[in-house]
Amino acid sequence: MTDEDSIRLDKWLWHARFFKSRGFASSICAKGKVRIDGQIVHKAHQIVRVGNVLTFPKAREVRVVRVEALGTRRGPATEAQALYSEIYEERSS
């Protein structure tokens, strides 16, 4: 595997437009609120690859998505939606 086959977790979450800033994505990771393939992550620099399943809170929801592409930039929403497929979304009341 090369560096082109992976990306930092915080960067991917930002590219996919789940968080407004990379810093906020990084803080969510540091708090241990993100899981990669079921394993809790405490570091924003954790590596993400295509096929990984991410679980994380977003507003009042728990999102579970599969990484479909890594992306090279934070583009428009349509481009960001191509980076993942939704597996599960739980809404709290």
Side-chain angles (χ1 to χ4, degrees):
M1 297 244 166
T2 65
D3 288 341
E4 296 169 356
D5 297 335
S6 62
I7 190 170
R8 286 176 55 116
L9 176 59
D10 61 339
K11 195 170 183 180
W12 187 88
L13 289 168
W14 180 63
H15 281 181
R17 294 185 158 269
F18 286 112
F19 299 102
K20 287 188 176 194
S21 73
R22 188 168 165 190
F24 188 61
S26 182
S27 71
I28 292 294
C29 298
K31 292 176 183 175
K33 297 191 177 216
V34 180
R35 292 176 186 240
I36 298 177
D37 297 332
Q39 299 294 321
I40 296 174
V41 174
H42 292 282
K43 298 180 181 179
H45 66 267
Q46 184 72 36
I47 296 299
V48 173
R49 293 186 171 86
V50 172
N52 285 143
V53 174
L54 306 180
T55 307
F56 56 92
K58 174 71 171 106
R60 295 183 178 199
E61 306 166 351
V62 173
R63 304 289 296 266
V64 182
V65 299
R66 177 175 288 111
V67 177
E68 300 294 343
L70 300 179
T72 56
R73 67 185 186 121
R74 181 178 165 93
T78 53
E79 189 177 308
Q81 289 170 347
L83 299 180
Y84 63 92
S85 59
E86 197 77 45
I87 295 176
Y88 180 75
E89 180 178 337
E90 179 181 297
R91 297 181 188 270
S92 18
S93 303

